Every structure is written in C-alpha cells, then in structure tokens.
C-alpha cells in the first residue's frame, strides 16, 4: 500500500468514527458510555482483538523523529493519555496499542471513594469541551496495583496520585506518601495532583508554604524508598491553569528547592469564557478546546521562568497536530490528551504524530526536540 493509499484509508476510518460512531456514543450519558467503553476495551484486550486497530491505523513513517528522552525514560512518541481516562488501570495496554507514547492512570487515592454525585460529566458539543466534577472517584490503590501486577505494562505507564476527600490538607502528605510507597516498584513515573478543582480545598496545596511542606515530606520519603529499593522514580507536579502570575512565581520558587522530574501544565480550569453550550455554567473543571490558549500561556510562562531546565508536559486542548505543535513550541517536551480523544476518536495519536512531522518538515527541524521552546528564541 502506498502512502497516499494509507492516508486515504486513515481519512475514511476517521470519518466513520466522526459520522457514525460518535453520534451514537454521544446519545448516551457521558459517564455511562465511558464505563462501557472501558469495559469493552478490557474484554477486547483479554481476547486479543486489539490487533485489528493496527490494520486500521498503520504505523507512522519516520516516527523515530518524534522519539523523546525525558526524565530518564524513552518515549516512542510524545503523545500520551492524561489522567482521568483510565482511573483504575483497566485499559492502559489497550490505549498504548492505539499508538500513544505513554498512559497516565489515576487519579488514585489510598482508599476507595465514590466521588461526587451524578450527573458529574457534561459534554459541551458546540465548544468541543467537557466539564467534569468527578471528585477523584476511584477504587483505591489496592485495586489499581492488583491490575498492574496481573497485566504487565507494555510501555510507559505513569500513576497520578491524589488525597482522599476526607483527609484534611494538614495530613495530605500522609496520603501522598502512602501512595508513593505503594506504587514505587510499579509506576514508570508518578504525578502529585494538587490542582483538581473537584476536591474541596485541594488547590490550597499549591500555595507556597503548603506546597513546601508537602514536597519536603514527600521527597524525603522518596529518598528513603530509594535507599531501601534502589531505582529512579520520576516525580512530577501537576498544576492548575488558573494561577495568577504571583502565585505561579511563588510555586516556582518552591519547585526550585526540590528535585522534581517535571511539571504538568495544566489541569482543568474553572474559567468560563466565551462558551456557547447550555452546560457552560455547570460547576467543575473545563477541558478541551477552550482550554488550549490558557494552558499554553501557563506552559509558556513556566518555560521562560525555568529557562527550559525542567521538562514540561503540555495538556489542555490538544485536539490535533496544530494545537500539539503550539505546545511544543511554547516549551512542552511531552503532550497529553483526554477530551480530544473523546471528540476525535482512537486515531488521534496517529493523526497528531503525522501532523507533527509535517510541521517539522515545514519549519526545517530534523527532530521534534529541535522545536521545543521555539517560540522563545530570538
């Protein structure tokens, strides 16, 4: 099959999702169809049916130009799955088989918790966005670890850590330490999530003194674990897009004091600017296309302040190669998607990788790493 024939097949497959499959899925309750999809993928993986995906989406040529080395790990491509999609580590290998360079499971908490009352996910069709107020609903660390032990990961799988809702902020470090200890042997990397808007007062942990106490306690625990069980486990911090410039500077002042592996920018936003959907005023975190500009602005500020010395993961509004490339040029080394996958379908990683290569060719870059932070150069 020639490249043109392959591209025609890809275009046809994407049209089938957008015109036939997505309208059917979007007639269902968002959370119910999410759970059904995960269950279907889990069964498909168990019966070995996922190889069919590779027939629909052939490998991307020249993918070696998108390989990234970051915090001691080698990523086959920079496009990953953000936390929230596979909370309980049910389908991480299925998602990797879709061509994603890595998957982040969670957010998990030490103890299981049901999250907030339903309905708690809303589609904003006119805005290509979602609002969620899930509240760290998950089955707890033990259930996640059991699945990861039963199904060895076939790629890079990170784990996003959160505190239980009924754990006061003064004792939050205990929850994060407990999770870090539990996943130390299993995770490819971990993320300290203190930026979800759906757990009361969680974002207060981003404030300077609270963050300093939390990271000091957590990184000390990491040092002790490393002495007992030698390995390098990258620890990242995920931040909100709603931080003021002053709050961002305070946060970075703390970050400079600790050996974090990187930052993830950003979580969902509580802003509601220029939305058209009737669900626009639902409470919760907004994700998808409307978040692209805000999250990229935060990413750009981080890159400037850190002078490119700390790897950044860009997430928020990545829906195609163009939005992905904008984050790379703003300073991202890696990317994550979630809402974009809901709207664009399982071919999104393949599509983004192909379009990134086109952008690299247009700008004369041999490798994606050459484009990181390009917007900040004279």
């Amino acid at each position: 099959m020639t490249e043109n024939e392959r591209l025609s097949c890809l275009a046809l497959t994407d049209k089938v999702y957008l015109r036939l499959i997505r309208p059917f899925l979007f007639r269902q309750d968002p959370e119910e169809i999410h759970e059904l999809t995960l269950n279907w993928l889990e069964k498909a993986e168990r019966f070995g049916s996922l190889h069919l995906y590779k027939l629909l989406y052939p490998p991307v040529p020249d993918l070696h130009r998108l390989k990234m080395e970051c915090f001691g790990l080698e990523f086959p491509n920079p496009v990953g799955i953000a936390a929230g999609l596979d909370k309980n580590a049910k389908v991480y290998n299925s998602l990797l088989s879709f061509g994603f360079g890595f998957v982040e499971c969670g957010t998990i908490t030490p103890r299981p918790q049901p999250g907030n009352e339903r309905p708690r996910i809303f589609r904003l069709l006119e805005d290509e966005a979602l609002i969620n107020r899930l509240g760290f609903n998950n089955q707890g660390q033990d259930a996640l670890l059991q699945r990861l032990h039963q199904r060895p990961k076939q790629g890079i799988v990170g784990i996003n850590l959160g505190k239980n809702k009924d754990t006061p902020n003064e004792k939050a470090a205990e929850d994060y330490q407990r999770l870090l200890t539990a996943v130390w042997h299993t995770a490819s990397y971990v993320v300290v999530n203190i930026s979800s808007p759906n757990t009361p007062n969680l974002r207060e942990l981003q404030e300077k003194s609270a963050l300093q106490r939390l990271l000091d306690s957590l990184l000390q625990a990491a040092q002790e674990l490393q002495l007992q069980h030698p390995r390098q486990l990258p620890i990242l911090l995920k931040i909100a897009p709603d931080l003021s410039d002053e709050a961002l500077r305070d946060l970075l002042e703390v970050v400079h004091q600790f050996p974090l592996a990187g930052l993830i920018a950003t979580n969902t936003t509580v802003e509601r600017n220029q939305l058209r959907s009737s669900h626009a005023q639902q409470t919760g975190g907004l994700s998808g296309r409307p978040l692209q500009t805000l999250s990229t602005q935060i990413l750009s500020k981080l890159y400037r302040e850190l002078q490119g010395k700390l790897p950044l993961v860009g997430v928020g509004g990545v829906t195609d190669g163009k939005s992905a490339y904008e984050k790379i040029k703003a300073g991202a080394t890696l990317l994550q998607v979630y809402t974009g996958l809901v709207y664009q379908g399982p071919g999104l990683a393949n599509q983004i990788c192909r379009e990134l290569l086109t952008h690299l060719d247009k700008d004369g870059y041999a490798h994606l790493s050459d484009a990181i932070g390009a917007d900040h150069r004279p």
Side-chain angles (χ1 to χ4, degrees), residues 57-191:
Y57 295 95
V60 177
D62 294 331
L63 194 59
H64 64 279
R65 296 172 62 194
L66 302 181
K67 288 183 179 179
M68 303 298 290
E69 291 187 12
C70 192
F71 33 85
L73 300 172
E74 293 187 0
F75 294 79
N77 71 68
V79 187
I81 293 286
L85 183 65
D86 190 15
K87 286 179 176 289
N88 296 300
K90 286 186 171 184
V91 296
Y92 47 92
N93 283 332
S94 301
L95 295 169
L96 289 169
S97 75
F98 287 172
F100 289 97
F102 61 107
V103 173
E104 191 173 305
C105 297
T107 299
I108 62 163
T109 54
R111 291 171 283 111
Q113 63 181 28
N116 297 320
E117 292 185 4
R118 300 192 186 199
R120 52 192 183 180
I121 303 179
F122 304 89
R123 297 189 194 98
L124 283 67
L125 300 181
E126 299 87 347
D127 304 294
E128 204 167 314
L130 295 174
I131 289 175
N132 92 81
R133 50 172 180 261
L134 289 163
F136 287 172
N137 58 309
N138 74 106
Q139 296 171 357
Q141 67 178 44
D142 293 341
L144 177 135
L145 288 171
Q146 184 178 11
R147 290 194 179 96
L148 283 165
H149 290 148
Q150 289 173 345
R151 305 174 197 169
K153 55 186 189 290
Q154 297 171 9
I156 295 174
V157 177
I159 301 179
N160 190 289
L161 315 180
K163 77 173 187 70
N164 278 109
K165 182 179 181 179
D166 59 1
T167 300
N169 281 358
E170 297 75 33
K171 295 187 176 181
E174 296 177 15
D175 276 12
Y176 289 102
Q177 287 174 16
R178 180 178 168 185
L179 290 168
L180 184 67
T181 302
V183 305
W184 186 263
H185 295 289
T186 308
S188 301
Y189 68 88
V190 296
V191 179

Side-chain angles (χ1 to χ4, degrees), residues 80-83 102 104 189 264 313-316 318 334-338:
I81 293 286
F102 61 107
E104 191 173 305
Y189 68 88
I264 298 184
V313 182
V315 54
V318 178
L334 299 171
L335 307 160
Q336 289 182 327
V337 302
Y338 178 171

Side-chain angles (χ1 to χ4, degrees), residues 221-238:
Q223 286 182 342
E224 293 171 7
L225 286 164
Q226 192 169 352
L227 289 173
Q228 298 168 18
H229 314 284
R231 70 162 298 199
Q232 292 288 336
L233 179 62
I235 299 176
L236 288 76
L237 181 70
K238 187 168 186 175

